[in-house]
Amino acid sequence: MACPTSSARQRQAQAARCLPRSDVEQAEESCPEKHWIEVRLVKEPDRSKRPPWWPSDRLRDYRDEKFTAETPIGLLEEETERGGAWRLDDIPAGACTFEFDRFFDDIIEYFRTKSV
């Protein structure tokens, strides 16, 4: 015979009555709460004139922009998708950091090729 359900307290009390004693005594392990994170690169208009070492605006939508992401599940090397976005689902809670290297690589290249 199935136990009727109504509220959380009633369900717990009914479970204790309906389940065999060995099942009730076993500790329940709660499922870890899963989270998601999304990053999106968005073009903003220049607020002032760019210095000469600043990378040129390549008129790109930041698709295929390579980056590294340190996430609760480990270090990932990824690329943005269409529209400059990338998303990671079903991860445990924790800190995430992102590093987009192309921008800095362009600055380093400028100084490497120019005499300063």
Side-chain angles (χ1 to χ4, degrees):
M1 178 168 154
C3 293
T5 61
S6 56
S7 71
R9 284 188 189 150
Q10 288 174 334
R11 285 193 301 270
Q12 290 172 348
Q14 290 166 353
R17 288 192 306 269
C18 295
L19 293 175
R21 189 75 183 149
S22 62
D23 290 343
V24 174
E25 291 173 353
Q26 291 179 359
E28 286 188 29
E29 184 179 324
S30 63
C31 296
E33 187 175 344
K34 297 294 185 172
H35 299 273
W36 59 270
I37 189 161
E38 181 173 296
V39 64
R40 182 178 307 268
L41 296 178
V42 179
K43 284 187 175 192
E44 293 285 330
D46 290 341
R47 294 184 179 168
S48 62
K49 186 176 184 209
R50 294 179 179 199
W53 49 264
W54 192 275
S56 64
D57 186 7
R58 297 186 185 115
L59 300 176
R60 63 177 190 255
D61 70 351
Y62 297 114
R63 179 185 201 145
D64 303 324
E65 190 75 27
K66 293 180 181 174
F67 65 92
T68 55
E70 190 171 333
T71 71
I73 62 171
L75 186 66
L76 306 172
E77 292 184 3
E78 297 287 339
E79 292 182 0
T80 56
E81 298 169 354
R82 196 170 98 193
W86 180 82
R87 182 177 170 125
L88 181 61
D89 291 308
D90 298 326
I91 60 173
C96 296
T97 59
F98 295 87
E99 292 183 21
F100 291 87
D101 297 327
R102 186 184 302 182
F103 175 81
F104 296 107
D105 290 344
D106 288 349
I107 294 172
I108 291 168
E109 179 66 20
Y110 174 86
F111 283 112
R112 191 175 65 77
T113 59
K114 303 286 185 193
S115 60
V116 180

